[in-house]
Amino acid sequence: MSRGTVSRYVNGERYVSAAARESIEAAIVKVGYVPNTAARNLVMQRSQAVGFIVHEPHALFVEDPNIGEILLGANTALSEADHQMVVLIVDSERDTDRVARYLSGGFVDGVIIVSARANDPISRVVERLAVPAAYVGHPPGASTASFVIIDNSGAARAITERLIGTGRQRIGMIAAALDRDSGADRLAGFTAALGDRFDERLVEAVPLYSYSAGRDGMQALLERAPDIDGVFAASDAVAAGALEALRAAGRRVPDDVGVVGFDDSAWAKRTLPALSTVRQPAAGLGRQAALLVLDQIRGVSAPNEMLLDSAIVWRDSA
Amino acid sequence: MSRGTVSRYVNGERYVSAAARESIEAAIVKVGYVPNTAARNLVMQRSQAVGFIVHEPHALFVEDPNIGEILLGANTALSEADHQMVVLIVDSERDTDRVARYLSGGFVDGVIIVSARANDPISRVVERLAVPAAYVGHPPGASTASFVIIDNSGAARAITERLIGTGRQRIGMIAAALDRDSGADRLAGFTAALGDRFDERLVEAVPLYSYSAGRDGMQALLERAPDIDGVFAASDAVAAGALEALRAAGRRVPDDVGVVGFDDSAWAKRTLPALSTVRQPAAGLGRQAALLVLDQIRGVSAPNEMLLDSAIVWRDSA
DNA sequence: TTGTAAGCGTTATCAT
DNA sequence: ATGATAACGCTTACAA
């Protein structure tokens, strides 16, 4: 039998006689044949794989439960579409170059990108190669890629308003990651909610959505404005850190100061007191991003955008 | 110029004249040429990529900081060796099959496997294909692969002994993941440390290294043995859950009951009180696993094993 | 120093 | 229903 026949058999096409089928099966076990997908990809010009690019600062990747959730959501959707998700971690300059080469190598038919920053080299490569792409969050620059977002600004505004509603007078914010749209938008929502009452001395900007940044930020806020009685932390991890600083300073939560977070991640239910926060559909973000790339890969649709709902969860911290 | 010359230029070999170099460079920018790595791999028979296979129950992948740390450690080492790390997530039956196909496709030159369970289909594929492999933890079955471990049993024994040393009389354990070597070994160490004083009614087995499993396990233990005054939780997440149950039951930690964990993950420093625990060199495990596969890929050495040190960290919970 | 040509393991298009 | 044969985009002798 010829390679052609074997190929047909392996791909389950019709027109393979029982006799051929049998001898092929025998040969396969005898030789221990496994199809070489790389060769197939070369001729097929597709890989049935989608990259998931994570470009987070070290600490955050480890402690942010959101990204794990997004990852799993994306994997589920890709798996259902019989695509392999390969996650690529960008943790250094070298990584950037290598990942760029990987993408041009035709190893993936599309990519999902989380937390890209303005002027991200990876984004530029993706755009130049015209690889189907979907961002979780706003794409940097004037990209033509798809993206999924939540209304960070609106949600921040809503939760701040509820904080106001509980009678807090001196409300501050620990703003994080202002170089990303999510961070900037949350601050914008906070500002909008406060209106006239906004006092810039009550906002402390920290670099990362991290526990330690939250602790430090709260400390700074307490020094600058000891009369603070409410704080919106840009994420649950930040809020958890703030809680520690508050505790160290002898302030009771929510009695002396109310605090609210953002994400409804694993942190939220496990801090003491449990956090009032914004629920973010992390797995849904991943899933939708996956569906958006798949659409582009299939040529079904042009790049598209999508807004997912978030909701306020009221617990004990405010 | 011919393909051959271009190939030589691209791979930075010698014997390329200045004239040729120039016209090639011009052509490259003009056409926007990017090498197709898939084609190169096909002829070279290697991919310069190493798979990192994660096969964790859903919840754990999201909330276990260890795995993130291992991932990052491995990525650093692979990156230094100019290899692309691709992480493959196994979260369903379909995933298993797809990942197996991916491996046979020649997309990776080797694999790092975390938390494989006995009789793992992925492990069988890896073995059959004779892909260079390194496990973090003991490989299941009589594998010929490399692996990196810590002395789970010895560390468990040591921390239990220190718990005894603080005068606790009724010491129990929340044992987790007994179907994995790490879980089983920690229980063995605990048992050994207690010797005659071991009371099987004081150990509660839970399925996962998770917060909720810890909460439930502690509850069960409190019901069965209200006089318990010390507990070794199989991981920090489990310990954190146990702390919640203890708090709910009105027990003070460490006054009424001392608790110790395992891992020294992000949990440990952030629970109240902070956890006494075993420090596990998570990033180091990842790094060493990477080096072990790289060695095999280069044919430098046969499969090998490696033991990394752990240490006890004494904080406030016991 | 450069060009030529074989070959990597598949799929796809033809004849047969 | 099956066998040739030409791609796919690259590396690598070997010849020029």
Side-chain angles (χ1 to χ4, degrees):
Chain A
M1 65 249 114
S2 75
R3 320 128 83 62
T5 312
V6 175
S7 175
R8 282 186 285 269
Y9 166 79
V10 170
N11 294 321
E13 282 172 34
R14 52 177 175 268
Y15 303 132
V16 178
S17 71
R21 186 187 316 277
E22 236 172 78
S23 62
I24 291 174
E25 275 163 359
I28 282 184
V29 302
K30 186 162 166 225
V31 193
Y33 169 83
V34 290
N36 180 318
T37 320
R40 166 185 299 182
N41 291 168
L42 180 58
V43 52
M44 303 277 269
Q45 306 282 48
R46 54 171 186 57
S47 64
Q48 293 278 83
V50 169
F52 186 108
I53 303 180
V54 185
H55 187 175
E56 286 287 1
H58 207 102
L60 234 139
F61 178 69
V62 179
E63 72 178 45
D64 185 350
N66 266 307
I67 139 107
E69 208 77 67
I70 296 172
L71 212 61
L72 258 10
N75 187 54
T76 307
L78 291 173
S79 182
E80 282 162 7
D82 206 42
H83 280 246
Q84 177 64 48
M85 178 176 88
V86 313
V87 1
L88 307 173
I89 295 188
V90 178
D91 190 34
S92 70
E93 187 92 10
R94 289 188 78 145
D95 287 356
T96 307
D97 297 350
R98 211 169 3 73
V99 167
R101 289 204 314 269
Y102 191 84
L103 296 182
S104 22
F107 286 100
V108 293
D109 297 336
V111 288
I112 296 169
I113 303 181
V114 292
S115 65
R117 271 75 68 79
N119 225 256
D120 197 313
I122 296 283
S123 300
R124 285 210 299 274
V125 173
V126 166
E127 197 144 349
R128 193 165 57 70
L129 263 44
V131 179
Y135 288 83
V136 174
H138 265 291
S143 165
T144 69
S146 294
F147 61 90
V148 211
I149 44 167
I150 59 162
D151 179 6
N152 278 290
S153 164
R157 178 175 187 151
I159 199 163
T160 307
E161 276 166 357
R162 295 197 51 171
L163 201 50
I164 299 173
T166 64
R168 307 287 172 180
Q169 297 299 321
R170 295 281 287 163
I171 302 179
M173 174 172 182
I174 305 174
L178 291 175
D179 56 336
R180 300 212 226 137
D181 60 292
S182 64
D185 290 354
R186 289 173 200 185
L187 176 56
F190 173 79
T191 309
L194 247 26
D196 292 345
R197 306 169 55 182
F198 176 76
D199 176 355
E200 63 172 12
R201 289 176 40 78
L202 287 179
V203 359
E204 173 74 14
V206 297
L208 261 38
Y209 289 118
S210 74
Y211 182 94
S212 56
R215 183 179 7 81
D216 300 348
M218 191 67 238
Q219 246 154 31
L221 237 33
L222 280 171
E223 265 172 46
R224 206 157 61 222
D227 60 337
I228 195 169
D229 67 352
V231 26
F232 168 36
S235 87
D236 289 348
V238 172
L243 250 27
E244 184 191 315
L246 251 8
R247 197 183 306 125
R251 309 295 179 102
R252 289 167 310 163
V253 176
D255 309 46
D256 299 334
V257 11
V259 1
V260 296
F262 204 110
D263 284 351
D264 197 27
S265 63
W267 287 107
K269 273 159 284 189
R270 294 168 191 174
T271 55
L272 212 58
L275 290 173
S276 294
T277 188
V278 174
R279 169 166 304 146
Q280 179 169 206
L285 289 169
R287 169 172 203 85
Q288 288 303 334
L291 297 177
L292 287 173
V293 253
L294 287 171
D295 278 354
Q296 286 180 71
I297 291 174
R298 297 183 186 123
V300 171
S301 70
N304 209 174
E305 57 201 72
M306 182 155 243
L307 178 74
L308 259 40
D309 285 335
S310 54
I312 291 179
V313 188
W314 216 248
R315 295 206 179 83
D316 309 320
S317 68
Chain B
M1 64 254 111
S2 75
R3 317 130 84 60
T5 311
V6 175
S7 175
R8 281 186 284 268
Y9 166 79
V10 170
N11 295 323
E13 282 172 34
R14 52 176 176 269
Y15 302 133
V16 178
S17 70
R21 188 187 315 278
E22 236 173 78
S23 63
I24 290 175
E25 275 163 0
I28 280 184
V29 300
K30 186 162 166 225
V31 193
Y33 171 83
V34 290
N36 180 319
T37 321
R40 166 186 296 182
N41 291 168
L42 180 58
V43 50
M44 304 275 268
Q45 308 281 48
R46 55 173 185 56
S47 64
Q48 293 278 82
V50 169
F52 187 108
I53 303 180
V54 185
H55 186 172
E56 285 287 2
H58 206 103
L60 235 140
F61 178 69
V62 179
E63 71 177 46
D64 185 350
N66 266 307
I67 140 109
E69 207 77 69
I70 296 172
L71 212 61
L72 257 12
N75 188 55
T76 307
L78 291 173
S79 182
E80 282 162 7
D82 204 42
H83 279 245
Q84 177 64 48
M85 178 175 87
V86 313
V87 3
L88 307 173
I89 295 188
V90 179
D91 189 36
S92 68
E93 187 91 13
R94 289 187 78 145
D95 287 356
T96 307
D97 297 350
R98 212 171 0 75
V99 167
R101 286 201 320 265
Y102 191 84
L103 297 182
S104 23
F107 286 99
V108 294
D109 296 337
V111 287
I112 296 169
I113 304 181
V114 292
S115 64
R117 271 74 67 77
N119 224 256
D120 198 311
I122 296 283
S123 301
R124 285 209 301 273
V125 173
V126 166
E127 197 144 347
R128 192 165 57 70
L129 261 45
V131 179
Y135 288 83
V136 174
H138 266 292
S143 165
T144 70
S146 293
F147 59 91
V148 209
I149 43 167
I150 60 162
D151 180 5
N152 279 290
S153 163
R157 177 174 187 151
I159 199 165
T160 306
E161 275 164 358
R162 294 198 50 173
L163 201 50
I164 299 173
T166 64
R168 306 288 173 179
Q169 297 300 319
R170 295 281 287 162
I171 301 178
M173 172 171 184
I174 305 175
L178 291 175
D179 55 336
R180 299 211 227 140
D181 60 291
S182 64
D185 289 354
R186 290 173 199 184
L187 175 56
F190 172 79
T191 309
L194 247 25
D196 291 345
R197 305 168 54 182
F198 176 76
D199 176 355
E200 64 172 11
R201 287 178 39 80
L202 287 178
V203 0
E204 173 73 15
V206 297
L208 261 38
Y209 289 119
S210 74
Y211 182 93
S212 55
R215 182 177 10 80
D216 300 348
M218 191 67 238
Q219 246 155 30
L221 236 34
L222 280 171
E223 265 173 44
R224 205 156 62 221
D227 61 337
I228 195 168
D229 68 351
V231 27
F232 169 36
S235 87
D236 289 348
V238 172
L243 250 28
E244 183 192 316
L246 251 8
R247 197 181 307 124
R251 309 295 179 101
R252 288 167 311 163
V253 175
D255 309 48
D256 299 334
V257 11
V259 1
V260 297
F262 204 110
D263 285 350
D264 197 27
S265 63
W267 287 107
K269 272 160 284 189
R270 295 174 188 170
T271 53
L272 210 59
L275 290 173
S276 295
T277 188
V278 174
R279 170 166 302 146
Q280 179 169 207
L285 289 169
R287 169 173 203 84
Q288 288 304 333
L291 297 177
L292 288 172
V293 253
L294 287 171
D295 279 353
Q296 287 179 69
I297 290 173
R298 296 183 186 123
V300 170
S301 71
N304 210 173
E305 56 202 72
M306 180 155 246
L307 177 73
L308 259 39
D309 285 336
S310 53
I312 290 178
V313 188
W314 217 246
R315 295 205 180 84
D316 309 319
S317 68

